[in-house]
Amino acid sequence: MEWNGFVGAATRLADIDLPRVGYTIGVGEDEVHAILDVEAAGSGFDRAGRPKMLFEPHVFYRNLSSAKRAEAVGQGLAYKVWGTQPYPADSYPRLEKARAIDETAALRSASWGLGQILGENFAAGGFDSPQDMVRGFMDAEARHLEAIVGFLVANKLDDDLRAHAWAPLARGYNGPGYAKNGYDTKLAAAFAKWARIPDTPFFPSAGPGSITLPRTRIGRGSRGPLVTLWQNTLVAGGYPLPSGVDGAFGAETEAATKKWQAAHKLLADGVVGPKTWAAAT
């Protein structure tokens, strides 16, 4: 397969992409920005227009067997334990050498794009193969963002993001050693920074009485456009919120939700799940 130096259209994110994609899991752009800032310094492409990429020799090691593994070890491209050797400033020369041994294993063994999604996670990101994922990442940062959301959902981390539970999110996204680099505190700081900056206006086509979005569960601590949609549904249904519609699922929204659920003969637990969404359509 020809890769053109891993340079594709390299389309950058549009402002609307962050709230648009975040909306599908019930978060705003501030939560999405936090992940992007920590994982890829806010950009999915390097100066050459290639997807940002980090080749992981210890992952390559586990993706190989027998003669191929021995060849990779001999070339210094694979080793069993992370951190055995320092990483070079540019991982692409390593990737090219690894591709010569086994392309699929090489692509599976690199972390890609805005969210540094490991190629092994191509399916969770919504792709058919590692090659398909890398092609998509070469094309547009929006594909990177959609893969991040897919990974979060597949690994049940979207609840942690909605709740701003940074330590569990960091553990699930970055591994058990997240605290060594302060990954959770960096996420919290990035979120706090973006929360002080006005968001991009976003007006989804769905509205009260016409909920067509994925039935993502939201509850106490959730925040973002999906919460706004639910709050509008409550208000339109005669369940006012004294503090108004603010996109934050707090005590008022929880209390109103319980009343709404009881009136619709649902379990009044204050959590908006599939049954509650279905009753609102």
Side-chain angles (χ1 to χ4, degrees):
M1 178 181 289
E2 293 297 324
W3 289 97
N4 190 39
F6 291 91
V7 177
T11 303
R12 302 286 181 170
L13 280 174
D15 287 343
I16 201 64
D17 286 329
L18 276 77
R20 175 184 64 80
V21 176
Y23 185 70
T24 64
I25 58 169
V27 300
E29 63 181 85
D30 300 336
E31 289 86 351
V32 178
H33 264 304
I35 293 178
L36 302 190
D37 280 9
V38 174
E39 280 294 340
S43 174
F45 298 106
D46 64 16
R47 292 182 179 179
R50 306 169 299 186
K52 283 188 174 178
M53 184 273 298
L54 183 67
F55 181 72
E56 305 276 11
H58 68 290
V59 181
F60 195 41
Y61 184 94
R62 72 175 178 235
N63 274 287
L64 296 172
S65 60
S66 62
K68 288 185 177 181
R69 176 183 288 173
E71 182 180 356
V73 170
Q75 292 188 39
L77 299 172
Y79 39 76
K80 191 172 183 179
V81 180
W82 176 84
T84 300
Q85 298 176 20
Y87 285 15
D90 183 358
S91 278
Y92 274 99
R94 270 185 171 182
L95 179 68
E96 290 294 351
K97 293 178 181 178
R99 281 183 55 229
I101 296 173
D102 188 313
E103 177 177 278
T104 297
L107 299 181
R108 286 173 60 92
S109 303
S111 298
W112 299 90
L114 282 168
Q116 289 294 279
I117 301 293
L118 194 63
E120 288 182 331
N121 295 311
F122 67 89
F127 296 94
D128 294 330
S129 67
Q131 286 85 349
D132 183 38
M133 175 176 146
V134 175
R135 288 286 186 192
F137 278 29
M138 288 165 55
D139 182 51
E141 284 180 336
R143 303 295 301 279
H144 304 197
L145 191 55
E146 290 161 1
I148 292 171
V149 168
F151 178 85
L152 291 173
V153 172
N155 290 277
K156 301 180 179 179
L157 298 173
D158 50 322
D159 278 346
D160 294 326
L161 183 59
R162 283 189 290 273
H164 305 157
W166 304 119
L169 176 64
R171 184 181 298 108
Y173 201 102
N174 198 248
Y178 72 92
K180 293 180 180 178
N181 295 316
Y183 188 90
D184 54 333
T185 57
K186 290 177 182 177
L187 284 170
F191 172 76
K193 178 189 76 173
W194 285 104
R196 294 190 294 269
I197 300 171
D199 291 344
T200 300
F202 177 62
F203 305 99
S205 58
S210 179
I211 299 173
T212 58
L213 299 172
R215 307 300 199 236
T216 303
R217 185 174 66 85
I218 56 174
R220 189 73 172 264
S222 298
R223 181 180 178 277
L226 201 57
V227 176
T228 299
L229 176 61
W230 176 246
Q231 289 175 327
N232 281 324
T233 301
L234 290 171
V235 172
Y239 299 86
L241 301 171
S243 298
V245 174
D246 58 5
F249 202 120
E252 290 180 2
T253 302
E254 184 179 64
T257 298
K258 289 179 178 179
K259 292 178 181 178
W260 191 98
Q261 290 170 323
H264 288 78
K265 299 182 180 180
L266 298 170
L267 175 65
D269 60 359
V271 176
V272 185
K275 291 183 179 179
T276 300
W277 283 122
T281 58

Short mmCIF file of all heavy atoms in Angstrom, two decimals, residues 128-177:
data_model
loop_
_atom_site.label_atom_id
_atom_site.label_comp_id
_atom_site.label_asym_id
_atom_site.label_seq_id
_atom_site.Cartn_x
_atom_site.Cartn_y
_atom_site.Cartn_z
N ASP A 128 -12.26 -0.27 10.17
CA ASP A 128 -12.24 -1.68 9.80
C ASP A 128 -10.88 -2.33 9.96
O ASP A 128 -10.79 -3.56 10.04
CB ASP A 128 -12.71 -1.85 8.34
CG ASP A 128 -14.16 -1.45 8.14
OD1 ASP A 128 -14.94 -1.60 9.10
OD2 ASP A 128 -14.50 -1.00 7.04
N SER A 129 -9.82 -1.55 9.97
CA SER A 129 -8.46 -2.08 10.07
C SER A 129 -7.53 -0.97 10.52
O SER A 129 -7.89 0.22 10.46
CB SER A 129 -8.00 -2.61 8.70
OG SER A 129 -7.84 -1.52 7.78
N PRO A 130 -6.31 -1.31 10.95
CA PRO A 130 -5.35 -0.24 11.27
C PRO A 130 -5.07 0.65 10.06
O PRO A 130 -4.92 1.86 10.20
CB PRO A 130 -4.10 -1.02 11.70
CG PRO A 130 -4.60 -2.35 12.15
CD PRO A 130 -5.78 -2.65 11.26
N GLN A 131 -5.00 0.03 8.88
CA GLN A 131 -4.77 0.82 7.66
C GLN A 131 -5.90 1.81 7.44
O GLN A 131 -5.66 2.98 7.09
CB GLN A 131 -4.64 -0.12 6.45
CG GLN A 131 -3.33 -0.88 6.39
CD GLN A 131 -3.31 -2.16 7.21
OE1 GLN A 131 -4.21 -2.42 8.01
NE2 GLN A 131 -2.29 -2.99 7.01
N ASP A 132 -7.14 1.35 7.64
CA ASP A 132 -8.30 2.22 7.47
C ASP A 132 -8.25 3.39 8.45
O ASP A 132 -8.54 4.54 8.10
CB ASP A 132 -9.57 1.40 7.67
CG ASP A 132 -10.84 2.19 7.43
OD1 ASP A 132 -10.86 3.03 6.51
OD2 ASP A 132 -11.83 1.95 8.15
N MET A 133 -7.85 3.11 9.67
CA MET A 133 -7.75 4.15 10.69
C MET A 133 -6.71 5.18 10.31
O MET A 133 -6.95 6.40 10.38
CB MET A 133 -7.42 3.52 12.04
CG MET A 133 -7.17 4.54 13.15
SD MET A 133 -6.88 3.71 14.75
CE MET A 133 -5.70 4.84 15.48
N VAL A 134 -5.54 4.75 9.90
CA VAL A 134 -4.47 5.68 9.56
C VAL A 134 -4.85 6.53 8.35
O VAL A 134 -4.61 7.75 8.32
CB VAL A 134 -3.14 4.93 9.33
CG1 VAL A 134 -2.06 5.90 8.85
CG2 VAL A 134 -2.69 4.25 10.62
N ARG A 135 -5.50 5.92 7.36
CA ARG A 135 -5.98 6.68 6.20
C ARG A 135 -6.96 7.75 6.64
O ARG A 135 -6.92 8.89 6.18
CB ARG A 135 -6.66 5.75 5.19
CG ARG A 135 -5.73 4.83 4.43
CD ARG A 135 -4.95 5.58 3.38
NE ARG A 135 -4.16 4.67 2.57
CZ ARG A 135 -3.21 5.06 1.74
NH1 ARG A 135 -2.95 6.35 1.60
NH2 ARG A 135 -2.53 4.19 1.02
N GLY A 136 -7.88 7.39 7.53
CA GLY A 136 -8.84 8.36 8.03
C GLY A 136 -8.16 9.48 8.79
O GLY A 136 -8.53 10.66 8.65
N PHE A 137 -7.14 9.14 9.57
CA PHE A 137 -6.42 10.15 10.34
C PHE A 137 -5.60 11.06 9.43
O PHE A 137 -5.40 12.23 9.76
CB PHE A 137 -5.51 9.48 11.37
CG PHE A 137 -6.22 9.06 12.64
CD1 PHE A 137 -7.55 8.71 12.63
CD2 PHE A 137 -5.54 9.02 13.84
CE1 PHE A 137 -8.21 8.33 13.80
CE2 PHE A 137 -6.18 8.65 15.02
CZ PHE A 137 -7.53 8.31 14.99
N MET A 138 -5.11 10.55 8.33
CA MET A 138 -4.41 11.38 7.36
C MET A 138 -5.35 12.40 6.72
O MET A 138 -4.94 13.50 6.33
CB MET A 138 -3.78 10.51 6.27
CG MET A 138 -2.59 9.70 6.71
SD MET A 138 -2.15 8.36 5.53
CE MET A 138 -1.93 9.29 4.01
N ASP A 139 -6.62 12.05 6.65
CA ASP A 139 -7.59 12.87 5.94
C ASP A 139 -8.05 14.08 6.75
O ASP A 139 -8.07 15.20 6.25
CB ASP A 139 -8.80 12.01 5.55
CG ASP A 139 -9.83 12.78 4.76
OD1 ASP A 139 -9.44 13.43 3.76
OD2 ASP A 139 -11.02 12.75 5.12
N ALA A 140 -8.46 13.86 8.02
CA ALA A 140 -9.08 14.97 8.75
C ALA A 140 -9.01 14.76 10.26
O ALA A 140 -9.19 13.63 10.75
CB ALA A 140 -10.55 15.12 8.33
N GLU A 141 -8.80 15.86 10.98
CA GLU A 141 -8.78 15.79 12.44
C GLU A 141 -10.15 15.41 13.00
O GLU A 141 -10.22 14.87 14.11
CB GLU A 141 -8.34 17.14 13.02
CG GLU A 141 -6.86 17.39 12.91
CD GLU A 141 -6.43 18.73 13.50
OE1 GLU A 141 -7.28 19.64 13.57
OE2 GLU A 141 -5.25 18.85 13.87
N ALA A 142 -11.21 15.69 12.26
CA ALA A 142 -12.54 15.28 12.74
C ALA A 142 -12.61 13.77 12.91
O ALA A 142 -13.29 13.27 13.81
CB ALA A 142 -13.62 15.76 11.77
N ARG A 143 -11.90 13.03 12.06
CA ARG A 143 -11.85 11.56 12.19
C ARG A 143 -11.12 11.17 13.47
O ARG A 143 -11.46 10.18 14.12
CB ARG A 143 -11.18 10.92 10.97
CG ARG A 143 -11.81 11.25 9.63
CD ARG A 143 -13.23 10.71 9.50
NE ARG A 143 -13.32 9.27 9.66
CZ ARG A 143 -13.04 8.38 8.69
NH1 ARG A 143 -12.65 8.79 7.48
NH2 ARG A 143 -13.16 7.09 8.90
N HIS A 144 -10.09 11.93 13.83
CA HIS A 144 -9.37 11.69 15.09
C HIS A 144 -10.35 11.84 16.26
O HIS A 144 -10.38 11.02 17.18
CB HIS A 144 -8.25 12.71 15.30
CG HIS A 144 -7.24 12.80 14.21
ND1 HIS A 144 -6.00 13.39 14.40
CD2 HIS A 144 -7.25 12.39 12.92
CE1 HIS A 144 -5.31 13.35 13.28
NE2 HIS A 144 -6.06 12.77 12.37
N LEU A 145 -11.11 12.94 16.21
CA LEU A 145 -12.02 13.25 17.31
C LEU A 145 -13.11 12.19 17.45
O LEU A 145 -13.45 11.77 18.56
CB LEU A 145 -12.63 14.62 17.07
CG LEU A 145 -13.41 15.27 18.21
CD1 LEU A 145 -12.55 15.36 19.46
CD2 LEU A 145 -13.90 16.65 17.79
N GLU A 146 -13.64 11.75 16.34
CA GLU A 146 -14.67 10.71 16.37
C GLU A 146 -14.10 9.40 16.93
O GLU A 146 -14.79 8.66 17.64
CB GLU A 146 -15.24 10.50 14.96
CG GLU A 146 -16.07 11.70 14.49
CD GLU A 146 -16.26 11.75 12.98
OE1 GLU A 146 -15.75 10.83 12.29
OE2 GLU A 146 -16.90 12.70 12.49
N ALA A 147 -12.84 9.12 16.63
CA ALA A 147 -12.20 7.91 17.16
C ALA A 147 -12.00 8.02 18.67
O ALA A 147 -12.13 7.02 19.40
CB ALA A 147 -10.85 7.68 16.47
N ILE A 148 -11.68 9.21 19.17
CA ILE A 148 -11.54 9.41 20.61
C ILE A 148 -12.85 9.08 21.30
O ILE A 148 -12.89 8.34 22.30
CB ILE A 148 -11.13 10.86 20.92
CG1 ILE A 148 -9.71 11.14 20.45
CG2 ILE A 148 -11.25 11.15 22.42
CD1 ILE A 148 -9.31 12.60 20.51
N VAL A 149 -13.94 9.61 20.77
CA VAL A 149 -15.26 9.36 21.35
C VAL A 149 -15.60 7.88 21.30
O VAL A 149 -16.10 7.29 22.27
CB VAL A 149 -16.33 10.20 20.65
CG1 VAL A 149 -17.73 9.74 21.03
CG2 VAL A 149 -16.16 11.68 21.01
N GLY A 150 -15.30 7.23 20.17
CA GLY A 150 -15.55 5.80 20.06
C GLY A 150 -14.76 5.00 21.07
O GLY A 150 -15.28 4.06 21.68
N PHE A 151 -13.51 5.40 21.30
CA PHE A 151 -12.67 4.72 22.28
C PHE A 151 -13.23 4.91 23.69
O PHE A 151 -13.27 3.96 24.48
CB PHE A 151 -11.24 5.26 22.21
CG PHE A 151 -10.30 4.66 23.21
CD1 PHE A 151 -9.66 3.46 22.95
CD2 PHE A 151 -10.06 5.28 24.43
CE1 PHE A 151 -8.79 2.88 23.89
CE2 PHE A 151 -9.21 4.73 25.36
CZ PHE A 151 -8.57 3.53 25.09
N LEU A 152 -13.66 6.12 24.01
CA LEU A 152 -14.21 6.39 25.34
C LEU A 152 -15.44 5.54 25.59
O LEU A 152 -15.58 4.94 26.66
CB LEU A 152 -14.57 7.87 25.47
CG LEU A 152 -13.41 8.87 25.50
CD1 LEU A 152 -13.95 10.30 25.46
CD2 LEU A 152 -12.55 8.68 26.73
N VAL A 153 -16.32 5.47 24.61
CA VAL A 153 -17.55 4.70 24.78
C VAL A 153 -17.25 3.22 24.89
O VAL A 153 -17.79 2.51 25.75
CB VAL A 153 -18.52 4.98 23.62
CG1 VAL A 153 -19.73 4.04 23.67
CG2 VAL A 153 -19.00 6.43 23.66
N ALA A 154 -16.36 2.72 24.01
CA ALA A 154 -16.03 1.29 24.01
C ALA A 154 -15.41 0.86 25.33
O ALA A 154 -15.60 -0.29 25.76
CB ALA A 154 -15.08 0.97 22.85
N ASN A 155 -14.70 1.76 25.98
CA ASN A 155 -14.04 1.43 27.24
C ASN A 155 -14.78 1.97 28.46
O ASN A 155 -14.23 1.99 29.57
CB ASN A 155 -12.60 1.96 27.21
CG ASN A 155 -11.73 1.18 26.24
OD1 ASN A 155 -11.21 0.12 26.58
ND2 ASN A 155 -11.58 1.68 25.04
N LYS A 156 -16.02 2.42 28.23
CA LYS A 156 -16.90 2.89 29.32
C LYS A 156 -16.26 4.02 30.12
O LYS A 156 -16.39 4.10 31.35
CB LYS A 156 -17.28 1.72 30.23
CG LYS A 156 -18.02 0.60 29.48
CD LYS A 156 -18.40 -0.54 30.40
CE LYS A 156 -19.15 -1.63 29.62
NZ LYS A 156 -19.52 -2.78 30.48
N LEU A 157 -15.57 4.91 29.40
CA LEU A 157 -14.94 6.06 30.03
C LEU A 157 -15.74 7.34 29.82
O LEU A 157 -15.41 8.38 30.39
CB LEU A 157 -13.52 6.26 29.47
CG LEU A 157 -12.53 5.12 29.72
CD1 LEU A 157 -11.24 5.38 28.96
CD2 LEU A 157 -12.27 4.96 31.20
N ASP A 158 -16.79 7.26 29.00
CA ASP A 158 -17.59 8.46 28.74
C ASP A 158 -18.30 8.94 29.99
O ASP A 158 -18.47 10.15 30.20
CB ASP A 158 -18.57 8.23 27.59
CG ASP A 158 -19.40 6.96 27.74
OD1 ASP A 158 -18.86 5.95 28.22
OD2 ASP A 158 -20.59 6.99 27.37
N ASP A 159 -18.69 8.01 30.87
CA ASP A 159 -19.30 8.42 32.14
C ASP A 159 -18.31 9.23 32.97
O ASP A 159 -18.68 10.23 33.60
CB ASP A 159 -19.73 7.19 32.95
CG ASP A 159 -21.07 6.64 32.51
OD1 ASP A 159 -21.79 7.34 31.76
OD2 ASP A 159 -21.41 5.51 32.89
N ASP A 160 -17.05 8.81 33.00
CA ASP A 160 -16.04 9.53 33.77
C ASP A 160 -15.82 10.93 33.20
O ASP A 160 -15.64 11.89 33.97
CB ASP A 160 -14.71 8.75 33.76
CG ASP A 160 -14.80 7.42 34.48
OD1 ASP A 160 -15.55 7.35 35.47
OD2 ASP A 160 -14.15 6.46 34.05
N LEU A 161 -15.84 11.05 31.89
CA LEU A 161 -15.65 12.36 31.28
C LEU A 161 -16.82 13.27 31.61
O LEU A 161 -16.64 14.44 31.95
CB LEU A 161 -15.49 12.22 29.76
CG LEU A 161 -15.22 13.52 29.00
CD1 LEU A 161 -13.95 14.19 29.50
CD2 LEU A 161 -15.14 13.27 27.50
N ARG A 162 -18.04 12.73 31.52
CA ARG A 162 -19.21 13.55 31.84
C ARG A 162 -19.19 14.01 33.30
O ARG A 162 -19.61 15.12 33.62
CB ARG A 162 -20.50 12.78 31.56
CG ARG A 162 -20.87 12.70 30.09
CD ARG A 162 -22.26 12.12 29.90
NE ARG A 162 -22.32 10.71 30.24
CZ ARG A 162 -22.05 9.71 29.40
NH1 ARG A 162 -21.69 9.98 28.15
NH2 ARG A 162 -22.13 8.45 29.78
N ALA A 163 -18.69 13.14 34.18
CA ALA A 163 -18.67 13.45 35.62
C ALA A 163 -17.42 14.23 36.03
O ALA A 163 -17.27 14.59 37.20
CB ALA A 163 -18.75 12.16 36.42
N HIS A 164 -16.51 14.47 35.07
CA HIS A 164 -15.23 15.13 35.38
C HIS A 164 -14.45 14.33 36.42
O HIS A 164 -13.78 14.91 37.29
CB HIS A 164 -15.44 16.57 35.84
CG HIS A 164 -16.22 17.39 34.87
ND1 HIS A 164 -16.92 18.52 35.23
CD2 HIS A 164 -16.44 17.24 33.54
CE1 HIS A 164 -17.53 19.03 34.18
NE2 HIS A 164 -17.25 18.27 33.13
N ALA A 165 -14.55 13.02 36.34
CA ALA A 165 -13.80 12.13 37.22
C ALA A 165 -12.44 11.89 36.57
O ALA A 165 -12.22 10.89 35.88
CB ALA A 165 -14.56 10.82 37.43
N TRP A 166 -11.53 12.82 36.77
CA TRP A 166 -10.29 12.84 36.00
C TRP A 166 -9.38 11.66 36.29
O TRP A 166 -8.71 11.15 35.38
CB TRP A 166 -9.56 14.17 36.24
CG TRP A 166 -10.41 15.36 35.92
CD1 TRP A 166 -10.79 16.34 36.79
CD2 TRP A 166 -10.99 15.71 34.65
NE1 TRP A 166 -11.58 17.27 36.15
CE2 TRP A 166 -11.72 16.91 34.85
CE3 TRP A 166 -10.98 15.12 33.40
CZ2 TRP A 166 -12.42 17.54 33.81
CZ3 TRP A 166 -11.68 15.73 32.36
CH2 TRP A 166 -12.39 16.93 32.57
N ALA A 167 -9.30 11.23 37.54
CA ALA A 167 -8.40 10.10 37.86
C ALA A 167 -8.86 8.80 37.20
O ALA A 167 -8.06 8.12 36.55
CB ALA A 167 -8.28 9.93 39.37
N PRO A 168 -10.14 8.39 37.32
CA PRO A 168 -10.58 7.18 36.61
C PRO A 168 -10.43 7.31 35.10
O PRO A 168 -10.07 6.35 34.42
CB PRO A 168 -12.05 7.05 37.02
CG PRO A 168 -12.16 7.78 38.31
CD PRO A 168 -11.20 8.92 38.20
N LEU A 169 -10.72 8.51 34.58
CA LEU A 169 -10.56 8.72 33.14
C LEU A 169 -9.11 8.56 32.73
O LEU A 169 -8.80 7.90 31.74
CB LEU A 169 -11.07 10.11 32.77
CG LEU A 169 -10.88 10.53 31.31
CD1 LEU A 169 -11.68 9.62 30.38
CD2 LEU A 169 -11.29 11.99 31.10
N ALA A 170 -8.20 9.15 33.52
CA ALA A 170 -6.78 9.06 33.21
C ALA A 170 -6.29 7.62 33.28
O ALA A 170 -5.51 7.17 32.43
CB ALA A 170 -5.98 9.93 34.19
N ARG A 171 -6.77 6.88 34.27
CA ARG A 171 -6.36 5.48 34.41
C ARG A 171 -6.81 4.66 33.20
O ARG A 171 -6.06 3.86 32.66
CB ARG A 171 -6.95 4.88 35.69
CG ARG A 171 -6.49 3.45 35.97
CD ARG A 171 -7.14 2.90 37.23
NE ARG A 171 -6.77 3.67 38.41
CZ ARG A 171 -7.59 4.48 39.06
NH1 ARG A 171 -8.86 4.62 38.65
NH2 ARG A 171 -7.19 5.14 40.13
N GLY A 172 -8.04 4.88 32.77
CA GLY A 172 -8.57 4.12 31.65
C GLY A 172 -7.99 4.52 30.32
O GLY A 172 -7.82 3.68 29.43
N TYR A 173 -7.64 5.79 30.18
CA TYR A 173 -7.15 6.28 28.88
C TYR A 173 -5.63 6.15 28.76
O TYR A 173 -5.12 5.83 27.69
CB TYR A 173 -7.55 7.75 28.71
CG TYR A 173 -7.56 8.23 27.28
CD1 TYR A 173 -8.75 8.36 26.58
CD2 TYR A 173 -6.39 8.56 26.61
CE1 TYR A 173 -8.77 8.80 25.26
CE2 TYR A 173 -6.39 8.99 25.29
CZ TYR A 173 -7.59 9.11 24.62
OH TYR A 173 -7.59 9.53 23.31
N ASN A 174 -4.93 6.39 29.87
CA ASN A 174 -3.47 6.47 29.82
C ASN A 174 -2.77 5.31 30.50
O ASN A 174 -1.56 5.17 30.39
CB ASN A 174 -3.02 7.80 30.42
CG ASN A 174 -1.62 8.19 30.05
OD1 ASN A 174 -0.73 8.20 30.89
ND2 ASN A 174 -1.41 8.51 28.79
N GLY A 175 -3.53 4.48 31.24
CA GLY A 175 -2.91 3.33 31.90
C GLY A 175 -2.69 3.57 33.39
O GLY A 175 -2.84 4.68 33.89
N PRO A 176 -2.31 2.52 34.11
CA PRO A 176 -2.16 2.60 35.57
C PRO A 176 -1.07 3.54 36.05
O PRO A 176 -1.07 3.97 37.20
CB PRO A 176 -1.87 1.15 35.98
CG PRO A 176 -1.32 0.51 34.75
CD PRO A 176 -2.04 1.16 33.60
N GLY A 177 -0.14 3.90 35.18
CA GLY A 177 0.93 4.80 35.58
C GLY A 177 0.62 6.26 35.35
O GLY A 177 1.53 7.11 35.37
#
